[in-house]
Amino acid sequence: MPKRRVPVRCVIALATVLVSLPCLSPTLLAAKPSRPNFIVIVCDDMGFSDLGCYGGEIDTPNLDRLASSGLRFVDFHNNAKCSETRASLMTGLWHQQSKNLKKPGNATIAEVLKPAGYRTLMSGKWHLAGEPPERGFDRYFGFLGGCINFFTGNDWGSGENLMRLDRNVFDVPDDFYSTDAITDYAIDFLNEGESDDRPFFLYLAHNAPHFPLHAPEEDIAKYRGRYRVGWDEIRRRRYQRLQELGIADETWNLSDRDSKVESWDSLTAKEREFLEPMMEVYAAMVDRLDQNIGRLIDHLESTGQLNNTLIFFFSDNGACPYQRLKGDMLVPGSGDSDIAYDARWANMCNTPLRNYKQYAHHGGTLTPMIAHWPNGIQDTGGLNHFPSHLVDIMPTLVELAGATYPTQRNGQDVFPMEGVSLAATLQGKETSRQRKPIYWEFANNHAVRDGNWKLVAERTKDWELYDISRDRCETNNIIEQYPDVAKRLAKSYDQWAKRVGAKTHAKCLNSSPSNQSQLFNLDKLLRDPQ
């Protein structure tokens, strides 16, 4: 084959380029990838093992997909309560420092990322002081309170319309279902910035699967009969599946069924008939949540944004044990019903952990947490064991965005961030597993975690000590064997409590027991009318 001659003009052009290379800007020579978009998805009152990728039998293919192409955290913690979790997430502070944004001295993620060139968007549950547009968000859709009717949008407690579109009252249409609407507006907000080359931060705060138990009938139908075997058998299956997934190893001892919860086999047919539909509707709510996350993923894919978007998904606390019932309608599902499951199913949803929402034990604080970011996460499908907390989200986003965390807001000094950035551990660069201690205190339940040691107490009760590296489910209290460790951690906790405005151990010990009922009185509720 004859050789092709290179035209002289091409040789001259190439030489010109080579000569000019040293003069080119280093930025042009080594262009950095664009900063990532951020989506933080928070669901409400979900148990540790509800998702398929965390051992559950509920159909969650879209979240499972994010997990298989991202990371599953197995030691990520919240504040065990709705608004307190949101306060720490938004500010990177312990919730006592901001009193759920009622006190000055804090800046929200939106207020930090907006000056760094990010569009700031929110859709869903706020449940903090003020309103999102006042705290740095460019667009907002959702409800300001803590709990709504999924079909009417009315506040569960007051019956008021606390739905908002930006700063305006939002009138709910007839075909409303909150999980769908929250996703609709999130996608609409993203579409509005289609011609905007700025990265975005989206805070997507779903109210599912928080009570009341409301779901579309077509979703409920999928789960009819799935829970007929009862909570004891489902707990066994979930624990086995957690072991198969590699999440639960020999250090995860299945906790005993809550002592106040009956065995499924001991229930009468009438009691089972009352309790079984609760879990069917709850599962349908989680299923619908997953469907909507699938819609969001599809949108990101279709617009070419998925690969450079860091997505976090987690729950604001563990499964909720507190029975709720207004009126005399005992069948969940429709917008006319007003009921929640109680500790019986919540104990199962938190398999294999102890306790529930509001408690500082892992059943309250340990959440399934998925991180997905194709451009940044290399160990896809893996498990991340780094002990982490909500306060770590703010420093992570600040680092990855190249943002500047403020020292002042509105003339007031801002507390420094309390967490540590997870950027290195997301990208597989973590070299040390040590971090600053993690603390909890809500409703007099309190704890401190330092390394593998955790000191924890329920309200009105004394300290318990656990070695988390050997007893992840807090089943063997070893405080008598290690009194010096307990003393050191107790001192650390009280010092922290005094610094941030939390209750000391002595105050928690001398508090009153909770007056919230964790169980329906089945005898009274199902008694035949005389």
Side-chain angles (χ1 to χ4, degrees):
M1 179 178 290
K3 294 182 178 179
R4 296 180 59 190
R5 293 184 60 189
V6 180
V8 173
R9 64 180 181 276
C10 294
V11 175
I12 294 172
L14 178 61
T16 302
V17 170
L18 292 173
V19 169
S20 64
L21 276 177
C23 302
L24 291 176
S25 164
T27 303
L28 295 176
L29 286 172
K32 294 181 179 179
S34 59
R35 293 180 297 170
N37 304 306
F38 303 121
I39 298 180
V40 177
I41 307 173
V42 182
C43 68
D44 208 334
D45 283 13
M46 193 180 73
F48 179 76
S49 58
D50 282 333
L51 302 180
C53 55
Y54 278 83
E57 69 294 324
I58 302 173
D59 298 332
T60 55
N62 296 295
L63 284 164
D64 296 350
R65 172 189 167 195
L66 289 182
S68 65
S69 53
L71 283 175
R72 281 167 298 165
F73 281 63
V74 297
D75 203 359
F76 184 88
H77 297 266
N78 51 48
N79 282 337
K81 186 63 169 54
C82 304
S83 50
E84 286 69 20
T85 278
R86 293 157 210 277
S88 283
L89 168 63
M90 281 292 97
T91 65
L93 305 175
W94 306 112
H95 69 85
Q96 295 88 351
Q97 292 173 292
S98 75
K99 293 292 183 185
N100 299 349
L101 304 194
K102 295 173 186 174
K103 292 175 60 178
N106 62 83
T108 68
I109 294 175
E111 289 167 333
V112 175
L113 294 185
K114 192 171 183 176
Y118 275 72
R119 290 190 296 131
T120 54
L121 317 168
M122 180 184 173
S123 188
K125 171 176 171 174
W126 180 235
H127 207 196
L128 294 169
E131 299 186 14
E134 300 169 358
R135 297 309 308 260
F137 286 96
D138 297 325
R139 297 303 313 272
Y140 172 61
F141 170 79
F143 60 101
L144 302 178
C147 178
I148 62 171
N149 184 304
F150 281 70
F151 291 104
T152 70
N154 290 336
D155 184 76
W156 184 82
S158 68
E160 295 179 71
N161 180 5
L162 298 180
M163 298 292 303
R164 298 290 184 269
L165 179 56
D166 298 321
R167 297 176 185 270
N168 303 313
V169 174
F170 176 80
D171 293 323
V172 173
D174 292 338
D175 60 349
F176 182 83
Y177 183 69
S178 61
T179 307
D180 296 340
I182 287 168
T183 308
D184 289 341
Y185 276 90
I187 292 174
D188 286 349
F189 293 161
L190 294 177
N191 279 331
E192 289 175 357
E194 198 169 320
S195 60
D196 193 330
D197 60 0
R198 290 179 298 164
F200 63 79
F201 163 60
L202 168 64
Y203 174 32
L204 185 58
H206 277 286
N207 57 322
H210 194 288
F211 71 82
L213 296 172
H214 289 165
E217 179 55 39
E218 63 267 27
D219 294 323
I220 300 172
K222 291 174 59 177
Y223 294 93
R224 296 291 186 207
R226 191 173 296 195
Y227 295 94
R228 197 154 294 158
V229 295
W231 45 69
D232 293 315
E233 175 61 17
I234 298 291
R235 283 190 91 223
R236 186 195 67 78
R237 294 177 185 178
R238 286 192 177 195
Y239 184 59
Q240 180 178 345
R241 180 66 177 147
L242 282 164
Q243 292 173 307
E244 293 168 355
L245 292 169
I247 295 174
D249 58 18
E250 67 277 1
T251 69
W252 292 64
N253 301 314
L254 177 62
S255 62
D256 293 334
R257 184 192 341 112
D258 189 332
S259 60
K260 63 179 171 288
V261 174
E262 315 94 324
S263 71
W264 181 259
D265 291 342
S266 70
L267 298 174
T268 67
K270 191 171 185 178
E271 289 168 341
R272 294 183 190 182
E273 184 181 352
F274 168 66
L275 293 164
E276 185 181 335
M278 295 179 183
M279 192 60 205
E280 294 170 345
V281 178
Y282 176 89
M285 295 169 75
V286 175
D287 188 308
R288 190 72 165 210
L289 171 67
D290 182 82
Q291 293 174 45
N292 276 276
I293 290 171
R295 291 174 54 212
L296 178 64
I297 296 169
D298 290 345
H299 172 78
L300 294 172
E301 279 190 313
S302 69
T303 55
Q305 297 172 309
L306 182 62
N307 286 349
N308 198 37
T309 299
L310 170 57
I311 301 173
F312 287 120
F313 171 89
F314 52 87
S315 178
D316 62 353
N317 44 250
C320 180
Y322 297 108
Q323 59 90 355
R324 297 286 188 270
L325 178 63
K326 290 183 178 180
D328 56 3
M329 188 172 184
L330 303 184
V331 180
S334 73
D336 295 328
S337 66
D338 212 340
I339 197 168
Y341 68 25
D342 61 9
R344 296 173 172 96
W345 284 120
N347 185 220
M348 183 276 286
C349 288
N350 272 344
T351 303
L353 309 173
R354 278 181 58 196
N355 280 341
Y356 317 92
K357 173 182 180 177
Q358 295 198 19
Y359 292 91
H361 288 81
H362 282 167
T365 73
L366 185 60
T367 173
M369 207 281 268
I370 299 169
H372 184 272
W373 181 24
N375 283 3
I377 295 175
Q378 305 301 320
D379 182 23
T380 57
L383 300 175
N384 186 289
H385 297 271
F386 186 73
S388 41
H389 186 275
L390 292 159
V391 293
D392 300 335
I393 299 294
M394 172 75 89
T396 302
L397 302 193
V398 167
E399 178 179 347
L400 293 174
T404 300
Y405 183 79
T407 57
Q408 284 200 331
R409 176 182 172 271
N410 293 342
Q412 298 275 351
D413 290 341
V414 171
F415 291 113
M417 293 181 286
E418 294 282 349
V420 299
S421 173
L422 301 176
T425 195
L426 285 172
Q427 298 174 35
K429 301 174 184 176
E430 194 68 53
T431 58
S432 171
R433 292 297 173 186
Q434 294 299 313
R435 61 155 298 144
K436 297 186 288 186
I438 300 172
Y439 300 92
W440 296 268
E441 186 271 314
F442 175 76
N444 302 306
N445 299 299
H446 52 296
V448 53
R449 167 82 177 272
D450 189 3
N452 290 325
W453 295 108
K454 182 178 178 183
L455 193 69
V456 58
E458 293 182 34
R459 60 171 72 89
T460 75
K461 297 182 182 180
D462 214 340
W463 288 118
E464 304 165 13
L465 179 68
Y466 300 98
D467 180 351
I468 299 303
S469 68
R470 299 176 181 228
D471 185 14
R472 186 64 64 92
C473 300
E474 302 163 311
T475 59
N476 181 30
N477 180 11
I478 54 175
I479 195 165
E480 292 186 2
Q481 292 97 300
Y482 298 94
D484 292 341
V485 173
K487 184 177 180 180
R488 173 175 63 82
L489 294 179
K491 180 179 179 181
S492 173
Y493 171 83
D494 278 343
Q495 289 174 337
W496 168 82
K498 292 173 183 176
R499 177 173 70 84
V500 303
K503 295 177 183 175
T504 63
H505 176 61
K507 288 184 178 179
C508 294
L509 194 61
N510 293 324
S511 62
S512 300
S514 171
N515 59 4
Q516 295 195 74
S517 174
Q518 295 191 3
L519 292 177
F520 288 107
N521 185 331
L522 298 180
D523 289 338
K524 181 179 179 180
L525 195 63
L526 304 178
R527 184 182 302 152
D528 291 328
Q530 299 297 320

